[in-house]
Amino acid sequence: MEDRCTITHQHPEAVERARRALPGELEVLELADRFQALADPSRLRILMALITGELCVCDLASVAGISPSATSHHLRYLRKARLVRSRRHGNVVYYRLACPILRGLLEKARECALPGMEVASLGK
Amino acid sequence: MEDRCTITHQHPEAVERARRALPGELEVLELADRFQALADPSRLRILMALITGELCVCDLASVAGISPSATSHHLRYLRKARLVRSRRHGNVVYYRLACPILRGLLEKARECALPGMEVASLGK
DNA sequence: AGAGTATATGAGCAACTGCTCATATAGTCA
DNA sequence: TGACTATATGAGCAGTTGCTCATATACTCT
């Protein structure tokens, strides 16, 4: 009923320990943004495709199964997040991964493949 | 102008290679859901707090800096995603990490700390 | 049983996301 | 130069997210 626990902390020492383990405000926001970049199926496909090597927007659209326009929007997002870099060659813009650790990160996430994790209905 | 590249693929062989490297539809959705669970600052704080050990809802609310109600909603989300497990002791419900790999995953993500990554304004 | 505490949950709302569509920009080639 | 191609970008919309508020549930203690 009351939306504040009457006792400030149930376990002050554990809370203090946890609080010390947390990174600063800015780093938490950066981390969340980085995960947000990976939290969309289309962006995930784009990034995984780029693990195999440089690809142009049109290629990426084809691999990810979305329109070139949507692809370009996603790439702008990823560029701002500094996860990819681009290089123009004539008419065509080639994208590549900017962060080599991404590959390991994605592999790590796939390892954590929990059987029976619920899907596509997590929100709510 | 045209929203489809006239040539089906600019680089058919690269596209084919990338396509083969992608996991199946279901796994991509699962992965995206897993990253979505990590893509919120409050949930991130909750999970990082739990790395230090078991904590009750009230503790977690205090550490994450959000209301117990919001905390409970997040915990339900994380429970559905099978990232945390709970244990009731009397009046108090204790949460702990369900996936030991999470810790490594979070560390990996922090490694990828790119200097100058833009924050809090990635969307749009 | 009845008051009190911790947690869970549903409704609802403001903010955000990912898409499409229209249009702009940058380059190629005749 | 002008037609064409690849990519970028802004507006706008439907669906989703994360919060609060009200309420429900589960337990404790007297």
Side-chain angles (χ1 to χ4, degrees), chain B residues 15-89:
Chain B
V15 167
E16 198 42 53
R17 196 184 328 129
R19 216 190 286 277
R20 268 195 301 272
L22 289 194
E25 174 68 7
L26 190 66
E27 188 175 353
V28 171
L29 294 179
E30 278 181 4
L31 260 179
D33 273 339
R34 203 163 309 148
F35 282 124
Q36 186 66 53
L38 303 173
D40 174 79
S42 298
R43 280 197 296 271
L44 215 42
R45 272 187 269 261
I46 287 173
L47 292 170
M48 287 173 140
L50 289 178
I51 286 179
T52 68
E54 206 177 51
L55 290 165
C56 74
V57 177
C58 218
D59 292 343
L60 287 168
S62 163
V63 171
I66 56 179
S67 73
S69 176
T71 306
S72 187
H73 279 293
H74 281 305
L75 287 169
R76 179 162 69 141
Y77 183 106
L78 293 172
R79 224 183 316 121
K80 277 195 183 177
R82 316 230 181 190
L83 294 176
V84 302
R85 292 222 182 114
S86 61
R87 161 180 85 84
R88 180 178 276 274
H89 180 67

Side-chain angles (χ1 to χ4, degrees), chain B residues 89-110:
Chain B
H89 180 67
N91 230 347
V92 180
V93 177
Y94 294 92
Y95 281 84
R96 63 184 184 286
L97 292 186
C99 178
I101 299 175
L102 245 185
R103 178 179 200 144
L105 186 61
L106 288 170
E107 277 164 9
K108 202 84 180 169
R110 289 179 75 179

Side-chain angles (χ1 to χ4, degrees), chain A residues 45-118:
Chain A
R45 272 187 270 260
I46 287 173
L47 291 170
M48 288 174 139
L50 289 178
I51 286 180
T52 68
E54 205 177 51
L55 288 165
C56 74
V57 178
C58 217
D59 292 343
L60 287 168
S62 164
V63 171
I66 57 179
S67 74
S69 176
T71 306
S72 188
H73 279 293
H74 280 306
L75 287 169
R76 178 162 69 142
Y77 184 106
L78 294 172
R79 224 184 315 123
K80 277 194 184 177
R82 316 232 180 191
L83 294 177
V84 303
R85 292 222 182 113
S86 60
R87 160 180 87 83
R88 181 178 275 273
H89 180 67
N91 230 347
V92 180
V93 177
Y94 294 92
Y95 280 83
R96 63 186 184 284
L97 292 187
C99 178
I101 298 175
L102 247 185
R103 178 179 201 144
L105 186 61
L106 288 171
E107 277 164 10
K108 203 87 180 165
R110 290 179 74 178
E111 274 178 41
C112 189
L114 306 164
M117 173 175 174
E118 291 179 30

